[in-house]
Amino acid sequence: MIEVTADCFTPETLLFDAIFQALFSYRPVVFQQGEFRFDISTGSLVAAALAGAVMVAAIVTYRGVRAQGRLRDRIVLAALRMVALALVLFCLFRPTLVVRAAVPQQNVVAVLLDDSRSMQIPDWAGQARGSFLKQQFSAPDSPLMNALSDRFLVRVFRFSSTAGRLESANALTFSGSQTRLGAALDGAREELAGLPVSGIVLVSDGADTSDASLADALLGMKAEKLPVYTVGVGSPQMPRDIQIDRVSTPRTVLKDASLLVDVVVTQTGYAGRTVTVDVEDEGRIVGSEQVQLPADGSPATARVRATASEAGPRVFKFRVAPLPDEVVPQNNVRETLINVRDTREKILYFEGEPRFEMKFLRRAVTDDKNLSVVSLQRTADNKFMRLGVESAEELEGGFPKTREELFSYRALVLGSIEAAAFTGDQLQMIADFVDRRGGGLLMIGGARSLGEGGYGGTPVADALPLVIDPRTRASEPADLARLQIVPTRAGQIHASTQIAASETASAARWRDLPQVTSVNAPLVPKPAATVLLEGTDERGRSQPVLTWHQYGRGKAVALTLQDTWQWQMHASIPLEDQTHENFWRQILRWLVDGVPGVVEARTAAERVEPGEAVTVEAAVVDKTYVELNDASVTARVTQPNGAVMDVPLEWTGERDGFYRGRFVSGEAGTYEVAVDSSRASAIVGSGVAFVRAGPSDAEFFDPTMHEGPLRRIADETGGRFYTPDTTTGLAEDVRYAGRGVTSVEERELWNMPIILVALMGLVCAEWGYRRAVGLS
């Protein structure tokens, strides 16, 4: 016998070579391609030639009966005859399936069972997902576990954040707060290194809650040619569930800040229902908003107002009360940690002439203990009046002449003051105050501001959100325009323009306010700028009134009005009305929001598991906001039990002034991370951040069975994906994967009973069809 395999040449070349040798050597030839083998001999080739001749004869015969039958009948009869003869030809070559099967009890199969909290979700036949794991892998009458145990040495592992050996599936607690599929695969692979492994069975809902990529774990599996057979447990779609999908909050706010938070709610099974989103601050409800749920799968956004009235690290909860028959009530709550700072933010207000706007602006924020407006008003050439200064030296020489002096403020307000009042270096300093320092800049309309103040072509014009033609020179103010102020679409939802208890009430209140005036020619917003308020004059013409944009690290705002004090003193405004006060408090608080200090501390994650490492990051600059790479930076960590530990932070080299360190959390609770920086024994500054250690509820969000990652694992490693209803053949699939200690099994295909049954069926079908159409 001559054996021909398709290892080096194309299958077509070797097939013709096998036929040639069978014809002229008179010895049988074995042709093998992959798992299939064909025995080719002279007799089989002669029989094949006869079968081909019979096929040709059948075609000729049925073509000759045109007068006795329809074309369709002839085609059907010829096709049946051809299929029957092809089946005979198939048997003549004696095809054989050659497989490599794992030797019983000589190979290991690893079974990885998901022990995370999401396995508590009751969406598997009305039971918790974990019930499937316990029934299939611990019950003595489990067909799946028995089938695996009969063929392999089974090693059972549990996994959530890590993987570990498990004596019995009954020991599963389903309390893991994270699922890391990649770490589980790597752990099992390393545990079984050196053993003959036929495959890995991974049973999970596929919800990987870690940030790690599966790519590295799959590369390891493919390198060792380890197939992974995944079983997806759970429903691909929740029948009835409401989830708070996303909450956008700042990490740091000023005390008594009014938060306007976007809460995204998704649902299935409750379309059209109206629910209430409540905001809790340490158990106390501080805000509520109703939202109507849209169609299944579509998000709904609720804009919820809340007040951060208590200082310190505060845990805000955003909650929707569970509805009847809801499958996963645990995802109705989102928690976020906000550092509420009880500090006074210094704002420098420079005014070029005595006017009511400065007086009433200062009065509006007098009762705000977190805003300190330091005013500098020019009374004559080189003579200034100072209000709100903390020392006799502050602003003693007028407007700051050094960056260190100017950058000590968090925001800068420019009133009716012309560009010529500043030196060229001071104009550049103002632009750098926004760009590099990250401060907030507000220019208020007036006879000597904006284009009329000669700012065209200056660095300040580059920073402002309105286009000032560089050819524009200082000029007399434009004609007085009386404007009715209304918020734009963006202004209706912006926190700075909320002057009433709700968005609807705020929009109505804007329409009721008296007209105010502007003496500045209308300017066009820059392409990336956002207009929050518009003014409409008596002739119906609109112009931007409140415009802002991001400039470098900070924000620049232009308010083209000159007499917002009318909203306080106009005859139509009641004495107790707080609209003017609310407006300026909101504007100035927004202006200083997010302004960085010389040391900005943060943690890479807001929440970690107890025992998980916390990464601390800090951006360090000097008082002129130049990045420092040679500072000594230390984080003093205060643990929930009051213990203190120091963590050194090192310059990363990734970018200037960026430092990083790490510590391991212990008990659950809130950790205070105070970062101190010094340079050459001189103190640079400090910053503070907070991080929580505690079990996460991430396992209950997006609670459906994630088929995509499980299919990817199976497909890329050569395994297969199953559901609980299709695991019957799993053990056999692993056995014939060809991994571990194997033996060769041959299964002849040509003499299977199904071949005889099919041949008889084709012959009978041809005979019956011929009788039916009258051709017998």
Side-chain angles (χ1 to χ4, degrees), residues 246 261-266 277 289-294 298-304 503:
R246 187 174 64 256
V261 183
D262 286 336
V263 181
V264 179
V265 181
T266 57
V277 179
E289 185 69 27
Q290 289 190 333
V291 58
Q292 185 174 16
L293 300 176
S298 299
T301 301
R303 299 185 62 83
V304 188
E503 290 180 15

Side-chain angles (χ1 to χ4, degrees), residues 356-425:
F356 288 134
E357 194 68 1
M358 187 181 80
K359 172 184 176 181
F360 283 95
L361 184 151
R362 288 182 55 81
R363 182 185 294 179
V365 299
T366 298
D367 294 333
D368 194 325
K369 295 180 174 57
N370 298 109
L371 293 177
S372 174
V373 178
V374 179
S375 301
L376 182 68
Q377 180 179 299
R378 184 176 60 185
T379 56
D381 289 341
N382 297 321
K383 291 186 179 182
F384 304 94
M385 179 179 67
R386 298 176 295 162
L387 298 173
V389 295
E390 296 179 352
S391 66
E393 293 77 19
E394 185 176 2
L395 302 176
E396 185 178 19
F399 189 81
K401 296 179 175 60
T402 66
R403 281 166 170 75
E404 182 174 343
E405 185 182 5
L406 178 60
F407 289 5
S408 66
Y409 297 94
R410 309 280 284 189
L412 173 63
V413 179
L414 297 178
S416 183
I417 182 73
E418 70 278 4
F422 303 99
T423 66
D425 187 53

Side-chain angles (χ1 to χ4, degrees), residues 139-365:
D141 57 347
S142 167
L144 177 57
M145 193 62 175
N146 289 338
L148 290 172
S149 300
D150 290 344
R151 296 166 174 80
F152 307 99
L153 302 173
V154 180
R155 298 290 183 267
V156 182
F157 296 80
R158 61 159 295 280
F159 74 92
S160 51
S161 56
T162 59
R165 285 291 300 274
L166 189 67
E167 293 299 325
S168 169
N170 285 324
L172 293 170
T173 61
F174 308 116
S175 59
S177 56
Q178 285 186 318
T179 301
R180 297 181 177 179
L181 297 177
L185 292 173
D186 284 337
R189 179 171 55 84
E190 293 170 2
E191 180 81 13
L192 301 175
L195 298 176
V197 182
S198 289
I200 294 177
V201 178
L202 175 69
V203 187
S204 172
D205 56 15
D208 193 326
T209 57
S210 71
D211 295 328
S213 171
L214 280 173
D216 293 339
L218 294 179
L219 282 176
M221 291 292 167
K222 289 189 284 188
E224 297 190 17
K225 297 182 180 179
L226 274 178
V228 181
Y229 302 85
T230 57
V231 181
V233 185
S235 172
Q237 183 176 359
M238 289 291 107
R240 298 176 73 83
D241 183 51
I242 292 178
Q243 172 175 293
I244 294 186
D245 198 53
R246 187 174 64 256
V247 175
S248 302
T249 60
R251 282 198 172 188
T252 302
V253 297
L254 276 179
K255 184 175 178 292
D256 295 324
S258 179
L259 301 174
L260 192 59
V261 183
D262 286 336
V263 181
V264 179
V265 181
T266 57
Q267 63 81 34
T268 53
Y270 297 103
R273 295 281 293 269
T274 298
V275 297
T276 301
V277 179
D278 293 324
V279 185
E280 297 180 9
D281 177 7
E282 306 289 352
R284 180 171 54 91
I285 294 180
V286 293
S288 295
E289 185 69 27
Q290 289 190 333
V291 58
Q292 185 174 16
L293 300 176
D296 288 0
S298 299
T301 301
R303 299 185 62 83
V304 188
R305 293 168 177 266
T307 302
S309 57
E310 299 292 332
R314 311 294 297 180
V315 177
F316 282 76
K317 290 184 179 180
F318 298 82
R319 183 193 306 272
V320 173
L323 295 182
D325 302 324
E326 191 171 352
V327 179
V328 191
Q330 294 92 334
N331 59 12
N332 289 33
V333 180
R334 283 276 188 185
E335 295 182 352
T336 182
L337 179 65
I338 301 178
N339 178 21
V340 182
R341 296 185 300 112
D342 189 10
T343 58
R344 286 179 68 84
E345 304 283 33
K346 289 184 67 175
I347 302 171
L348 174 58
Y349 182 2
F350 188 21
E351 184 60 77
E353 59 187 8
R355 62 175 184 162
F356 288 134
E357 194 68 1
M358 187 181 80
K359 172 184 176 181
F360 283 95
L361 184 151
R362 288 182 55 81
R363 182 185 294 179
V365 299

Side-chain angles (χ1 to χ4, degrees), residues 58-59 62 73-84 766:
I59 294 174
Y62 282 118
D73 298 334
R74 296 197 304 271
I75 292 174
V76 171
L77 290 170
L80 290 172
R81 179 71 61 85
M82 295 288 287
V83 173
E766 181 190 0

Side-chain angles (χ1 to χ4, degrees), residues 1-2 17-30 40-46:
M1 179 182 293
I2 300 174
D17 182 62
I19 294 173
F20 181 81
Q21 292 189 47
L23 284 172
F24 296 101
S25 66
Y26 302 102
R27 287 183 294 174
V29 177
V30 177
I40 303 175
S41 63
T42 304
S44 63
L45 291 175
V46 171

Side-chain angles (χ1 to χ4, degrees), residues 358-646:
M358 187 181 80
K359 172 184 176 181
F360 283 95
L361 184 151
R362 288 182 55 81
R363 182 185 294 179
V365 299
T366 298
D367 294 333
D368 194 325
K369 295 180 174 57
N370 298 109
L371 293 177
S372 174
V373 178
V374 179
S375 301
L376 182 68
Q377 180 179 299
R378 184 176 60 185
T379 56
D381 289 341
N382 297 321
K383 291 186 179 182
F384 304 94
M385 179 179 67
R386 298 176 295 162
L387 298 173
V389 295
E390 296 179 352
S391 66
E393 293 77 19
E394 185 176 2
L395 302 176
E396 185 178 19
F399 189 81
K401 296 179 175 60
T402 66
R403 281 166 170 75
E404 182 174 343
E405 185 182 5
L406 178 60
F407 289 5
S408 66
Y409 297 94
R410 309 280 284 189
L412 173 63
V413 179
L414 297 178
S416 183
I417 182 73
E418 70 278 4
F422 303 99
T423 66
D425 187 53
Q426 286 176 320
L427 291 171
Q428 185 60 56
M429 280 169 45
I430 294 172
D432 291 343
F433 177 83
V434 185
D435 184 18
R436 293 188 57 83
R437 191 256 184 271
L441 171 65
L442 169 63
M443 181 171 282
I444 302 176
R448 295 183 178 88
S449 68
L450 298 170
E452 288 72 15
Y455 284 94
T458 68
V460 175
D462 295 335
L464 290 173
L466 299 174
V467 177
I468 302 178
D469 193 330
R471 296 169 297 182
T472 302
R473 295 293 177 259
S475 61
E476 292 297 320
D479 294 336
L480 186 72
R482 296 189 177 276
L483 304 173
Q484 182 65 51
I485 308 303
V486 292
T488 63
R489 183 183 296 271
Q492 290 175 4
I493 60 175
H494 199 273
S496 66
T497 55
Q498 302 303 307
I499 57 175
S502 67
E503 290 180 15
T504 304
S506 181
R509 183 62 183 138
W510 278 111
R511 290 191 295 269
D512 293 339
L513 288 177
Q515 291 182 343
V516 286
T517 62
S518 173
V519 293
N520 298 104
L523 298 173
V524 177
K526 290 180 179 177
T530 301
V531 179
L532 301 178
L533 295 177
E534 286 183 336
T536 305
D537 62 16
E538 293 90 342
R539 300 172 62 182
R541 296 174 300 183
S542 295
Q543 59 177 279
V545 166
L546 181 63
T547 311
W548 82 281
H549 73 165
Q550 194 77 25
Y551 184 71
R553 300 179 65 190
K555 65 173 74 74
V557 186
L559 177 65
T560 61
L561 304 176
Q562 67 165 352
D563 53 357
T564 62
W565 56 269
Q566 292 277 6
W567 296 334
Q568 175 67 43
M569 299 302 294
H570 194 273
S572 63
I573 301 295
L575 183 63
E576 67 279 3
D577 188 271
Q578 294 291 305
T579 301
H580 181 259
E581 287 85 347
N582 290 340
F583 173 74
W584 276 111
R585 287 174 186 170
Q586 296 283 79
I587 289 290
L588 295 182
R589 279 176 170 265
W590 171 52
L591 203 62
V592 299
D593 180 54
V595 175
V598 291
V599 176
E600 282 294 300
R602 66 182 300 272
T603 55
E606 176 192 307
R607 185 175 188 169
V608 297
E609 297 293 316
E612 186 179 356
V614 177
T615 300
V616 182
E617 299 171 342
V620 181
V621 297
D622 63 14
K623 296 186 185 306
T624 62
Y625 282 75
V626 175
E627 293 82 359
L628 298 178
N629 297 335
D630 57 352
S632 175
V633 184
T634 303
R636 173 156 292 191
V637 180
T638 303
Q639 304 177 59
N641 60 8
V644 177
M645 60 178 170
D646 289 336

